Amino acid sequence: MKLTVEDVSTRFIKHFGGEPGQLYAAPGRINLIGEHTDYNNGFVFPGAVEQGMIAEVRPNGTRKVDAYSIDLKDRVQFSLDDEQGPKTTWARYIFGVCREMMALGVPVEGFNTAFAGDVPLGAGMSSSAALESVYAFALNDLFGENKIERMDLAKVGQRTEHKYIGVNCGIMDQAISCLGKAGHLMRMDCRSGEIAYFPWNPEGYKLVLVNSCVKHELVGSPYNERRLSCEHVAEVIKNRHPEVESLRDANYEMLEEVKDGVSAEDYKRAHYVIGEVDRVLQVCDALEAGDYEAVGQKMYETHHGLSEEYEVSCEELDFLNNIAKEEGVTGSRIMGGGFGGCTINLIADELVDNFKKVVTEKFKAKYGKDPIIIDVVIGPGARKLS
Ligand code: GLA
C-alpha cells in the first residue's frame, strides 16, 4: 500500500467534519547493524524509511481526544485527565504520548485525529515508534511552540512503550523516527546520545528487505527477558570491574571471568552483545572505506549471533538468511528485535533481480506463501506536511 496524504484527509473530514486539521508524518526504520545494543548503552546504525505514519490533528477545544485509526477502522475517545487511559492498544500509544508530553510541561489540549500507516505491521520496521513520533512531533508543534528537542520527543515515545505498553525497549526506533535524515544513516551512541550522519549511497549495491510475514510482536515476547539477562551479566561483571555500567563497557575477557557465575544462557546473550557493539563501529569504518564486503560479512556475523546466541530468530528467518548466502548476497541478517519480521540484505546491483526471484520461489515452495520484498529508500524523520 502506498499511503497518500489525501487518503488521510478524506477520512478525517468524513469522521469529524468541519475544517481540515494539520498533517504530520513520521517514519519507520531499517537498521544496518547494531541490534539489541541500544538498551546496553552501545551503538546503533539505523536509517529512516519512506514508509511511516501520517496523522491529521485538529484541536477541538475540550479535554478529550477523539481518535480514528483508518487502517483498523476503529474509533476511540479518551480524556487527557484520565489516569488509566483507553484499553485499546493503538490508542494507548497516543494516550501515552499525550500524558508524557504533558509531564514535560506541554499544555496539551483535546483534539480530533485520524491516522494511517504504510509501515507493514509486525515487520520489525517500528510502526509503533512511527506512531509515537508522529504524535509527539504534532503535539509539540500544536501546543508546545516546538520547544521540546527531537531527542526528547524520542524519549517521550520510549517512555510510552515502557509505561503504557510494557515493552522495555531501547531508544533506537524513536530516535531515528524523530531524527532521521533523507539519504543518511544515523550512527548513535545510545549512552551519550551523540549522533553522526553517514551519507547512504552505496555504489553498486542495494538494500532490500525480505519480510518473512511471521508477525513480530514485542509485546509479550521475550524481549524484556533479554534485556534483563544483559543487565544481570553487566551487574555481575561490575562486582569485579566497578567501571562497567552496562555491557557496552565489558569485553570478552571480563565475560570469561564471570562465566561460572552466570547461567549458560545469560553468558550467550552477553557474548552476542559484546560482539555487536564492536561490529557497529567496524561497519562504520568499512563504509567510510567503501568496503561493502566487510559490511556484509559483519551483517552475517550479526545474524549468526542473533540466531545462535541471542536466540531471537525463527525458522523462516534462518531459511531466508541461508538463501541469501547461497545466492551470493553480500550481507544478510535479521533486522530489529527479532522473533519474526524481516531480513535486511545488502546485495550487489547485478544480483538483485535474481535474488528477489529465487527467494520468492524458494520461500513459497517451503512455506506456501510469498515473502514481501521491500526496496529500501532512506527518507526523512518526523515532519509537518504542508
Ligand atoms: C526493537 C526495540 C529497539 C531495539 C531493537 C533491537 O526494535 O524497540 O529499542 O532494542 O528492537 O535492536
Side-chain angles (χ1 to χ4, degrees):
M1 179 192 72
K2 182 86 186 119
L3 176 65
T4 67
V5 174
E6 289 73 39
D7 297 333
V8 177
S9 294
T10 313
R11 297 292 152 165
F12 182 86
I13 296 299
K14 182 168 171 234
H15 282 274
F16 301 114
E19 293 293 308
Q22 178 59 54
L23 284 150
Y24 299 90
R29 58 116 187 84
I30 55 114
N31 185 26
L32 188 63
I33 201 149
E35 226 61 89
H36 293 277
T37 45
D38 56 358
Y39 53 81
N40 287 298
N41 281 329
F43 297 90
V44 291
F45 202 20
V49 290
E50 282 188 315
Q51 294 86 348
M53 289 285 172
I54 293 182
E56 184 157 352
V57 185
R58 186 183 68 201
N60 60 20
T62 73
R63 296 292 298 159
K64 286 220 155 67
V65 173
D66 192 345
Y68 181 67
S69 161
I70 295 170
D71 300 323
L72 299 172
K73 298 188 176 55
D74 192 17
R75 190 162 169 175
V76 172
Q77 281 115 3
F78 59 82
S79 161
L80 290 169
D81 304 314
D82 178 13
E83 296 284 314
Q84 302 302 314
K87 291 213 167 64
T88 311
T89 307
W90 67 260
R92 288 193 70 72
Y93 286 103
I94 304 177
F95 174 73
V97 169
C98 291
R99 297 286 294 184
E100 291 302 310
M101 291 296 280
M102 287 157 68
L104 289 181
V106 175
V108 178
E109 293 294 332
F111 55 89
N112 295 352
T113 183
F115 71 95
D118 60 356
V119 191
L121 293 181
M125 293 173 70
S126 299
S127 50
S128 55
L131 182 59
E132 290 146 8
S133 302
V134 78
Y135 282 102
F137 190 88
L139 301 185
N140 193 32
D141 184 57
L142 285 168
F143 304 111
E145 298 171 15
N146 285 306
K147 282 192 190 145
I148 313 265
E149 305 260 335
R150 283 175 183 256
M151 185 61 87
D152 292 321
L153 296 179
K155 289 179 186 163
V156 161
Q158 186 192 25
R159 284 198 295 279
T160 297
E161 295 277 353
H162 292 189
K163 291 163 67 175
Y164 304 86
I165 305 295
V167 175
N168 295 328
C169 65
I171 189 67
M172 168 168 72
D173 304 352
Q174 292 79 9
I176 188 65
S177 188
C178 290
L179 288 145
K181 250 197 202 179
H184 290 74
L185 299 183
M186 182 178 101
R187 185 186 67 201
M188 180 171 163
D189 178 334
C190 296
R191 168 177 286 156
S192 66
E194 193 187 328
I195 279 171
Y197 291 99
F198 287 65
W200 176 251
N201 43 14
E203 270 178 38
Y205 293 86
K206 291 208 169 38
L207 276 180
V208 173
L209 304 181
V210 182
N211 187 354
S212 66
C213 299
V214 175
K215 279 254 163 142
H216 136 116
E217 273 273 355
L218 293 184
V219 183
S221 78
Y223 182 93
N224 291 352
E225 280 169 33
R226 293 292 182 280
R227 182 171 182 157
L228 286 175
S229 291
C230 293
E231 287 167 357
H232 175 64
V233 177
E235 229 173 77
V236 176
I237 295 178
K238 189 182 165 76
N239 289 337
R240 292 170 172 246
H241 300 275
E243 72 279 13
V244 172
E245 294 294 338
S246 57
L247 287 182
R248 149 78 178 275
D249 308 311
N251 56 38
Y252 288 136
E253 291 75 52
M254 295 173 179
L255 180 61
E256 288 314 310
E257 286 169 19
V258 302
K259 190 168 184 177
D260 296 335
V262 299
S263 73
E265 231 176 39
D266 285 356
Y267 170 86
K268 279 198 289 187
R269 310 295 188 238
H271 192 268
Y272 160 75
V273 169
I274 292 172
E276 183 73 353
V277 171
D278 270 352
R279 276 191 289 273
V280 181
L281 299 178
Q282 289 162 0
V283 160
C284 290
D285 290 346
L287 258 192
E288 280 185 322
D291 185 352
Y292 294 99
E293 290 305 318
V295 173
Q297 185 53 41
K298 295 292 155 198
M299 292 170 75
Y300 278 115
E301 285 174 22
T302 296
H303 184 88
H304 182 265
L306 286 172
S307 178
E308 303 295 323
E309 297 183 316
Y310 220 61
E311 296 183 281
V312 294
S313 188
C314 61
E315 193 197 305
E316 290 84 347
L317 288 169
D318 288 341
F319 183 75
L320 289 173
N321 187 258
N322 278 331
I323 298 175
K325 245 182 241 160
E326 283 162 19
E327 294 305 315
V329 168
T330 305
S332 176
R333 64 177 198 82
I334 301 164
M335 189 182 74
F339 314 108
C342 296
T343 58
I344 179 166
N345 302 274
L346 179 67
I347 316 178
D349 282 344
E350 63 275 16
L351 297 181
V352 171
D353 289 342
N354 187 59
F355 172 67
K356 287 180 178 174
K357 188 170 141 276
V358 172
V359 81
T360 304
E361 283 166 7
K362 290 196 171 165
F363 193 84
K364 184 153 194 184
K366 180 143 175 129
Y367 297 107
K369 57 181 179 187
D370 284 341
I372 295 174
I373 296 188
I374 303 170
D375 294 314
V376 173
V377 176
I378 305 295
R383 61 208 180 273
K384 190 172 183 167
L385 302 171
S386 53

